[in-house]
Amino acid sequence: MEWWSFFLLVKAASEYDPYKILGVSRSASQAEVKKAYKSLAKEWHPDKNKDPNAEDMFIKVSKSYEILSNEERRSNFDRYGQMDENQQFAQSQHQGFRGFHNSFYFDESFFHFPRSRDFADSKYLLHHGQFNTDVLPDSHKRPYLIKVTSEWCFACIHIEPVWKETVLELEPLGVGIGIVDLGYERRLAHQLGAHRAPSIIGLVNGRVNFFHQAVVREHLRQFIEDLLPQKLVEKITDDNYRVFLDSWRVENKPSVLLFDQIPIVPLLYKLTAFAFRDYVRFGFVDQGDTHNIQLLRQFNINTYAPTMLLFKEDSEKPVDIIQARGMKRQIMDEFVSNNKFLQVPRLVNQQLFDDLCPVKQFHRRRKYCVLLITGDDQAFHPGNKAFLEFASANKKDVLRFAYVYQRQQQPLCQALLHNQAVVILERRSHAGKVMYRSVSGGWNGSEEDKYHLHEQLELLQKDPTYLRSDATLPELNNEMAPILIIQWMNSAYDYIVQIYDDLLYSNWREMMPILSLIFSALFILFGTVIIQAFSRPPKKDFVEVTELTDITYISNLVKLRPGHINVVLVLTNASKNALLRKFAKEVFSFSGTQTLHFSFLNADKHRHWMPSLLCSTSGAMRREVHSDEDEESANYAGHVLALNGHKKYFCLFRPVFTGDNPNDSSSETLFSSDSRRKSRPRSRSIHHKLDRLGLWMERLMEGTLLRLQVPAWPSLSEAANSFAES
């Protein structure tokens, strides 16, 4: 009985013919199809026809018209028997077939449809959010080959064997693989411009390209190779290898040479070059070419296995080498990633500075950057060469050596207050905050200079507080901007070629996202130029500070939200302008923190507030305050408090006094011994009171400052002189 049910099922599925349902011939025009549909729809409409089968017949008529009224669907049905891409009619039939017999129901897996996907396919399925957060950014490092499929897609079944073979070949090389289900991921398919299945898409640098040729493995491989930018790998011979290896001065990148017996560059090597194109230059040497004999002899290359050599500043001797018959992508990635930078690279943009000298992370080991400020004239070459020799002889994981040309990076050099010197620095924040120390005596490259620099580095590793000067560095000038313009022109050329290709295939729906992107980019470009031409707002290099008054006191302190801290500067009328300017500059790099607020308190207006606050702390603190009042006449100008209104505690910064020992940490702690207090000079310099506030703010963010609890916050009113309950 089951085989008979199966026979009826297959017969019912195969007998469905939209031409027969509408009663038209296969050569019928659209006008004839439309006329037949209107007539049958009026006849079988359930509201007018009381026949029990009227509703089912009306659905069949409607679905048949949907197929035949669309040229693409009609063509698919004529060639493959395929109906709609989502096959809603078949799915409704599917539900009906389920009830045909309890022991058997129609399932598209009988025809090997990809609805019930195996595990190998499911790991490649892409979703809209995943595509935009992971795949799209990753396409700037490797190309993606994406297949657009759907349920009930007969043509998708035909290309499946070729697709699997291609995936097995390209994925180990580093090509990303993705599958988009047209029925379940309509939003993603619309973003890609894919409106039919099957479609094959290449994604490189965020740009979508459609595959238009016959689905053959060789064509798909060539499709991926054509998507990669031109001139990723340079052909190297005896005539140009010295120029290639010596170009590290201009390119500021290491160089890699691949030696192989084949005359063309392998796709594996091109993909590796694409992934590391921003860091390393790549060249290819054909070992079978008679023009490369000198090159093979000089580096003693084994002609029986592919060989990779990596060069840095020394073009005569490679710093690393690998040789293997079966060169794997993972091995090549590790080989290149371990040598991404020159021994002493030149800082040419902010991105390189961030990669080479990362910001200090509290859970990681410190990284120090040894920076040579020099010039590109002939007179500086001996000193630069000596610095390279010193860096090569003192390689350590915690040290990064680099140099900058003063002429190209003047803002950076001015911030460090040096014209020609060696500076040891540690980056503290992404806003540009650094701690640094300059090596006294400048740098001429003499043996005495090398010894002195080595001594400074040894002291630094023993005592991390050795770096005592602080500064806020500006963003580095992008010296590679002209190259970026050339890259933009090459990208524009690629887009023009793609538009021509789409016109050739008359694929307007796929071309519309590209045209929209081009016009949007042009609109933004010209709009930005016009806006900047007519309005150039001054760059804000300060932070706004609010005064604590009777009106703002409650909201900015007593009722401050949990987890928020108000950093308050205490000043007087006489010191207001000088202290506010210094305070704003010191805390500017912390102004991006959402939980920090900045205020100031005028001690002339509220002279009882500070004594009341300090007297509400412990007994030891109260004795300290009384002694200060006797000795210093209660002058609190220059003090800074970090007030946590919710938990009722504060941290205190005491101002720097002119003449103090540089090693004195009185500005970072609250309590001081009698001997320290006696050694404090009476004269104070207003301009330097907040010199070490930046370091104190760092300790505040780290949570290492002493916290002083108070029972309640004192009132600002001098008459009340009492505590305000929170």
Side-chain angles (χ1 to χ4, degrees):
M1 187 65 182
E2 291 185 2
W3 68 268
W4 179 249
S5 301
F6 168 74
F7 171 75
L8 292 176
L9 169 65
V10 174
K11 182 179 180 181
S14 61
E15 285 182 352
Y16 174 76
D17 188 344
Y19 292 102
K20 291 183 179 180
I21 292 175
L22 294 183
V24 296
S25 64
R26 290 186 173 267
S27 59
S29 64
Q30 287 293 334
E32 294 173 339
V33 170
K34 187 175 183 180
K35 181 178 179 181
Y37 164 70
K38 286 185 176 181
S39 176
L40 292 174
K42 186 181 299 183
E43 176 184 354
W44 292 101
H45 197 285
D47 294 340
K48 298 181 179 181
N49 194 325
K50 302 304 180 182
D51 191 301
N53 298 322
E55 184 175 356
D56 291 340
M57 189 61 188
F58 182 78
I59 293 176
K60 289 182 179 181
V61 170
S62 300
K63 297 302 179 183
S64 299
Y65 178 69
E66 288 183 8
I67 295 172
L68 299 185
S69 62
N70 185 290
E71 293 294 343
E72 184 177 338
R73 296 174 184 172
R74 185 174 180 175
S75 176
N76 286 338
F77 180 83
D78 292 341
R79 281 188 285 181
Y80 309 113
Q82 180 183 357
M83 294 171 286
D84 191 9
E85 291 168 349
N86 291 326
Q87 210 50 257
Q88 296 175 357
F89 169 75
Q91 290 177 2
S92 66
Q93 292 295 315
H94 181 187
Q95 301 297 330
F97 293 146
R98 282 183 180 271
F100 187 82
H101 196 278
N102 293 332
S103 61
F104 183 83
Y105 60 87
F106 182 77
D107 192 347
E108 61 268 26
S109 62
F110 175 78
F111 292 107
H112 307 288
F113 290 121
R115 179 170 183 173
S116 300
R117 306 185 189 280
D118 55 19
F119 177 76
D121 279 345
S122 62
K123 70 177 182 178
Y124 300 123
L125 286 176
L126 299 179
H127 308 286
H128 183 264
Q130 172 201 3
F131 175 82
N132 288 281
T133 56
D134 299 334
V135 176
L136 206 56
D138 194 43
S139 68
H140 293 270
K141 297 181 180 179
R142 61 171 175 164
Y144 272 80
L145 189 66
I146 301 173
K147 179 181 70 172
V148 180
T149 184
S150 68
E151 301 174 6
W152 298 84
C153 174
F154 287 87
C156 300
I157 302 172
H158 296 163
I159 69 171
E160 190 65 23
V162 178
W163 171 261
K164 289 185 176 180
E165 292 178 1
T166 306
V167 170
L168 291 176
E169 178 185 2
L170 296 183
E171 190 176 23
L173 302 182
V175 177
I177 305 297
I179 296 177
V180 177
D181 193 307
L182 196 61
Y184 293 97
E185 287 294 334
R186 284 284 186 181
R187 188 178 176 188
L188 177 55
H190 179 73
Q191 179 179 345
L192 294 173
H195 305 283
R196 62 183 179 185
S199 294
I200 295 180
I201 295 173
L203 181 69
V204 175
N205 288 329
R207 191 176 73 248
V208 175
N209 300 269
F210 280 83
F211 177 76
H212 297 293
Q213 297 178 335
V215 183
V216 182
R217 187 176 65 176
E218 291 74 15
H219 290 173
L220 290 171
R221 179 189 177 96
Q222 189 62 42
F223 173 62
I224 287 294
E225 194 164 353
D226 293 340
L227 292 179
L228 298 175
Q230 300 296 322
K231 300 180 180 179
L232 274 175
V233 182
E234 186 175 348
K235 294 295 289 289
I236 304 300
T237 63
D238 289 344
D239 299 330
N240 64 352
Y241 82 94
R242 292 191 179 276
V243 177
F244 177 79
L245 296 179
D246 289 336
S247 62
W248 63 267
R249 291 185 177 87
V250 178
E251 299 290 341
N252 199 40
K253 297 177 182 178
S255 302
V256 172
L257 287 180
L258 173 68
F259 296 81
D260 207 338
Q261 289 282 0
I262 56 180
I264 59 174
V265 182
L267 178 59
L268 172 62
Y269 195 55
K270 288 185 178 180
L271 293 170
T272 306
F274 178 73
F276 295 95
R277 65 190 183 281
D278 293 333
Y279 299 96
V280 181
R281 299 178 69 244
F282 293 84
F284 177 76
V285 181
D286 178 13
Q287 297 180 2
D289 192 343
T290 57
H291 297 87
N292 299 325
I293 298 177
Q294 179 182 350
L295 190 57
L296 299 177
R297 288 177 180 175
Q298 178 171 350
F299 298 111
N300 193 21
I301 301 300
N302 183 354
T303 58
Y304 298 101
T307 305
M308 289 183 69
L309 305 181
L310 192 140
F311 298 83
K312 293 188 177 181
E313 285 88 348
D314 188 356
S315 59
E316 301 293 330
K317 182 179 179 182
V319 296
D320 205 352
I321 179 174
I322 57 171
Q323 192 174 56
R325 289 186 179 276
M327 195 75 75
K328 302 295 183 182
R329 177 62 189 271
Q330 182 180 0
I331 298 176
M332 298 176 69
D333 285 351
E334 292 178 358
F335 176 76
V336 178
S337 61
N338 292 333
N339 298 279
K340 288 198 303 183
F341 305 109
L342 296 171
Q343 294 182 9
V344 184
R346 179 164 62 94
L347 299 184
V348 294
N349 52 44
Q350 187 65 34
Q351 181 61 46
L352 181 58
F353 190 28
D354 294 338
D355 293 339
L356 193 66
C357 304
V359 175
K360 170 192 171 185
Q361 302 291 338
F362 299 115
H363 60 284
R364 295 182 180 177
R365 196 175 182 183
R366 294 174 179 265
K367 297 285 186 182
Y368 300 105
C369 192
V370 185
L371 184 63
L372 172 65
I373 300 175
T374 182
D376 55 352
D377 298 335
Q378 189 70 28
F380 295 98
H381 288 182
N384 298 346
K385 183 178 179 180
F387 188 74
L388 172 60
E389 294 173 353
F390 179 87
S392 302
N394 293 271
K395 296 180 181 178
K396 293 183 180 179
D397 293 337
V398 297
L399 297 179
R400 296 288 187 271
F401 293 89
Y403 70 98
V404 293
Y405 287 152
Q406 179 189 357
R407 186 180 305 170
Q408 281 80 2
Q409 302 293 343
Q410 289 185 1
L412 174 70
C413 300
Q414 291 174 359
L416 295 174
L417 304 178
H418 288 285
N419 295 330
Q420 182 183 3
V422 175
V423 178
I424 307 171
L425 60 87
E426 180 186 26
R427 299 184 65 194
R428 292 298 184 91
S429 72
H430 292 283
K433 191 76 173 181
V434 298
M435 297 300 300
Y436 73 95
R437 189 183 186 108
S438 60
V439 180
S440 59
W443 178 265
N444 296 319
S446 63
E447 293 299 324
E448 182 180 356
D449 290 342
K450 294 180 181 179
Y451 176 79
H452 191 49
L453 177 57
H454 185 271
E455 185 180 33
Q456 300 279 321
L457 294 176
E458 291 292 331
L459 292 174
L460 174 64
Q461 296 187 55
K462 295 178 182 178
D463 181 14
T465 63
Y466 186 68
L467 305 180
R468 290 194 174 90
S469 301
D470 64 297
T472 301
L473 301 183
E475 184 170 335
L476 270 67
N477 297 329
N478 189 1
E479 300 178 26
M480 310 303 290
I483 298 179
L484 294 177
I485 295 176
I486 296 175
Q487 293 177 353
W488 184 88
M489 294 176 63
N490 292 334
S491 300
Y493 172 77
D494 293 338
Y495 278 116
I496 293 173
V497 172
Q498 185 176 354
I499 292 173
Y500 172 78
D501 184 62
D502 288 330
L503 286 173
L504 183 65
Y505 288 94
S506 301
N507 197 350
W508 288 94
R509 298 184 71 181
E510 295 171 0
M511 188 179 65
M512 287 306 296
I514 302 172
L515 293 175
S516 175
L517 179 63
I518 293 176
F519 285 112
S520 299
L522 293 175
F523 178 78
I524 294 173
L525 178 63
F526 289 107
T528 303
V529 172
I530 294 173
I531 292 174
Q532 290 182 351
F534 287 95
S535 60
R536 293 181 177 270
K539 187 176 180 181
K540 190 174 181 180
D541 57 351
F542 60 90
V543 60
E544 295 182 1
V545 184
T546 307
E547 181 178 4
L548 283 183
T549 63
D550 294 332
I551 299 176
T552 61
Y553 183 72
I554 298 298
S555 60
N556 287 0
L557 176 58
V558 178
K559 294 185 178 180
L560 198 63
R561 285 178 292 177
H564 287 240
I565 293 177
N566 196 346
V567 181
V568 180
L569 167 68
V570 181
L571 48 76
T572 60
N573 290 329
S575 61
K576 180 177 180 180
N577 293 334
L579 288 181
L580 273 180
R581 283 195 297 268
K582 182 68 173 178
F583 178 73
K585 291 181 180 179
E586 289 292 325
V587 302
F588 172 70
S589 59
F590 303 92
S591 59
T593 306
Q594 299 296 325
T595 56
L596 288 184
H597 309 271
F598 302 97
S599 306
F600 71 89
L601 178 74
N602 194 326
D604 290 339
K605 297 180 182 179
H606 311 284
R607 62 178 182 273
H608 294 293
W609 189 81
M610 275 291 289
S612 299
L613 176 67
L614 299 178
C615 287
S616 64
T617 56
S618 63
M621 180 63 205
R622 192 177 296 110
R623 289 192 298 270
E624 177 73 14
V625 170
H626 289 325
S627 63
D628 275 356
E629 287 179 351
D630 296 339
E631 182 177 346
E632 300 294 336
S633 301
N635 182 9
Y636 296 106
H639 286 67
V640 180
L641 303 100
L643 308 174
N644 190 315
H646 180 70
K647 293 188 176 181
K648 296 189 181 68
Y649 72 81
F650 69 92
C651 305
L652 179 64
F653 167 84
R654 304 188 68 168
V656 174
F657 292 88
T658 304
D660 277 354
N661 189 337
N663 296 325
D664 190 1
S665 59
S666 62
S667 62
E668 299 180 12
T669 59
L670 177 62
F671 303 108
S672 58
S673 63
D674 293 338
S675 60
R676 183 187 302 171
R677 189 164 56 247
K678 291 178 182 179
S679 64
R680 182 187 302 156
R682 295 184 181 274
S683 61
R684 304 178 184 182
S685 176
I686 295 178
H687 181 70
H688 296 290
K689 279 178 178 287
L690 304 179
D691 278 352
R692 298 183 66 84
L693 179 60
L695 297 177
W696 183 82
M697 288 293 298
E698 288 187 9
R699 293 189 57 190
L700 173 65
M701 300 303 295
E702 294 172 0
T704 58
L705 291 177
L706 177 65
R707 298 180 178 181
L708 302 171
Q709 298 289 147
V710 294
W713 297 111
S715 171
L716 279 183
S717 174
E718 296 181 3
N721 195 18
S722 59
F723 298 109
E725 295 296 333
S726 62

